[in-house]
Amino acid sequence: MGSEVKRMRPRATLAVVGGGVIGLAIAWRAAETGWRVTLYDPAPGSGASHVAGGMLAPLSEGWPGEELVLDLGAASLQRWPDFAARLQQATGIDVFSARESLTVALDGADAADLRTIADCVGRQGYELRIIDRAGLRAAEPALARSARLGLLAADELAVDNRALVAALRRACAGAGVDLVERAITDIDALAEEQVVLAAGYSSAKLWPRLPIRPVKGEILRLRRRRGVAPGPSRVIRARVHGRPVYLVPRADGVVVGATQYEAGVDTTVTVGGVRDLIADAQAILPSVAEYELAESAAGLRPMTPDNLPLIGRLTDRVVVASGHGRNGILLTAITVDAVLAQLEGNQLLEAKSADPQRFTDEKERR
Ligand code: GLY
């Protein structure tokens, strides 16, 4: 009986440069779909992904003129339950930390803004619910008495960013991703057939024409002490003295965010930043004064000029998945699908607004 030697086609090789949530998620899913993946990052999960609030809040952040950002975010939010279920199946880790978000108004100007958001989002076909003062009290008894109107997003989830990094790392290991803890300085020196550039604001150093700049954000992690009243059960967002503030539930307390500075590559936590975050959080939820100040940290958001990310082909070999700005965690789910489509030679229509060629074309038209 002759023995038949089966020849396996060698798997195509993929380098993912950057091990934040975007790079990790792409590496995991690409490996699951058959690519031989190497992920390069000197310290995976330690950048913006480590500092994120984890809100998946495209509707609450809706605003006239930002409709493309809203649509892209909503398309990603829709994908999150399946994405998270698949991740939980692969790792046993549930990454969700809240299931709704509530934006509150403290004065008349804030209340008018909430109505503007509700109208804008409604025109795009999504729904937010206005909640009156009594409804606010019933929903979140710990809210400040000055909260006068609310906007409830019943489907806006929140994710524990650090649980997400841990889950994605485990999923990558399970799918056979080779993790190389080394900084890449030259994409051309990589041996893999295809490359995904997912290095956050550092992507612009590796591909200098990418319009991505770092925008600093500081956050606090507050831990609830024994005997202190329970914190919010959903994400709470507001403006205090014109500054946006959010409180995102965690198993042991809340993440409070975030400041925003155009300060270049600077991750120093400032006294003024911490002071404002504490004061603003307390204006919304007075009981946070009783919490333990467990951590303060700063990260660098990779921002683009139009607040949309860059997801798509730069060349036949290189796909970019960077520039997610304030929405890296939210946009992880759609970015993975868009990049997997690109690697197969297709384009995901829902992510068309993120095509990096929009900046190239604009330059060439001038
Ligand atoms: N993801 C929220 C922020 O960047 O502040």
Side-chain angles (χ1 to χ4, degrees):
M1 199 170 68
S3 70
E4 192 186 326
V5 178
K6 275 200 183 149
R7 278 187 194 279
M8 299 285 285
R9 219 172 125 246
R11 287 190 296 156
T13 56
L14 173 69
V16 177
V17 179
V21 290
I22 303 278
L24 286 164
I26 291 167
W28 163 48
R29 294 286 296 121
E32 277 196 342
T33 57
W35 290 84
R36 207 168 88 214
V37 182
T38 306
L39 176 72
Y40 296 93
D41 193 307
S46 67
S49 302
H50 189 67
V51 181
M55 294 174 297
L56 312 183
L59 311 187
S60 300
E61 298 202 354
W63 196 252
E66 297 266 301
E67 285 81 3
L68 291 177
V69 178
L70 168 61
D71 284 340
L72 187 68
S76 198
L77 176 61
Q78 206 174 28
R79 287 170 154 78
W80 252 100
D82 282 351
F83 176 79
R86 187 190 283 268
L87 188 58
Q88 187 167 6
Q89 201 173 29
T91 66
I93 300 175
D94 174 8
V95 297
F96 290 124
S97 70
R99 305 239 162 222
E100 289 187 341
S101 77
L102 179 65
T103 308
V104 300
L106 300 182
D107 61 26
D110 293 345
D113 280 355
L114 294 195
R115 294 189 197 284
T116 301
I117 295 170
D119 289 348
C120 163
V121 165
R123 278 195 301 276
Q124 292 293 108
Y126 312 106
E127 202 188 332
L128 290 168
R129 192 149 56 86
I130 297 275
I131 309 276
D132 64 12
R133 201 185 278 268
L136 283 180
R137 293 284 92 74
E140 291 289 352
L143 274 179
R145 308 308 290 175
S146 51
R148 56 198 281 168
L149 198 74
L151 199 54
L152 183 74
D155 298 318
E156 282 188 345
L157 305 155
V159 163
D160 180 329
N161 56 318
R162 295 182 185 175
L164 177 62
V165 168
L168 289 171
R169 289 192 68 157
R170 191 181 292 179
C172 280
V177 172
D178 191 9
L179 178 61
V180 177
E181 296 200 4
R182 167 158 71 82
I184 297 303
T185 52
D186 180 5
I187 285 180
D188 290 340
L190 292 167
E192 288 80 3
E193 290 153 80
Q194 289 283 303
V195 177
V196 174
L197 186 51
Y201 82 90
S202 298
S203 292
K205 288 188 224 154
L206 292 164
W207 203 272
R209 284 174 57 202
L210 289 179
I212 302 177
R213 67 188 195 284
V215 174
K216 177 177 169 180
E218 293 156 313
I219 57 109
L220 307 176
R221 296 176 80 96
L222 307 184
R223 197 171 294 138
R224 190 157 71 89
R225 293 184 308 137
R226 202 190 294 269
V228 175
S233 59
R234 46 176 76 74
V235 175
I236 306 291
R237 313 160 49 89
R239 272 188 177 274
V240 181
H241 305 305
R243 295 186 294 257
V245 62
Y246 51 78
L247 290 87
V248 191
R250 289 291 187 269
D252 63 350
V254 287
V255 173
V256 177
T259 58
Q260 186 150 324
Y261 311 102
E262 302 269 352
V265 180
D266 167 25
T267 50
T268 316
V269 178
T270 63
V271 173
V274 173
R275 176 202 56 212
D276 289 348
L277 289 171
I278 292 174
D280 298 349
Q282 223 187 321
I284 307 300
L285 202 76
S287 60
V288 296
E290 305 297 324
Y291 282 46
E292 174 193 348
L293 175 52
E295 185 185 330
S296 58
L300 297 170
R301 307 172 179 96
M303 299 291 276
T304 65
D306 60 5
N307 297 333
L308 284 160
L310 302 166
I311 311 168
R313 278 217 170 264
L314 297 172
T315 66
D316 287 349
R317 181 170 178 248
V318 180
V319 174
V320 65
S322 301
H324 293 75
R326 303 184 68 246
N327 295 313
I329 306 257
L330 167 65
L331 296 177
T332 296
I334 196 163
T335 301
V336 170
D337 287 352
V339 169
L340 292 186
Q342 289 286 349
L343 291 173
E344 298 302 324
N346 302 318
Q347 193 183 31
L348 184 73
L349 275 181
E350 286 165 290
K352 202 169 179 313
S353 61
D355 188 340
Q357 299 305 326
R358 69 192 186 277
F359 290 110
T360 318
D361 294 349
E362 196 179 291
K363 257 187 202 145
E364 278 164 7
R365 274 201 302 274
R366 277 194 222 134

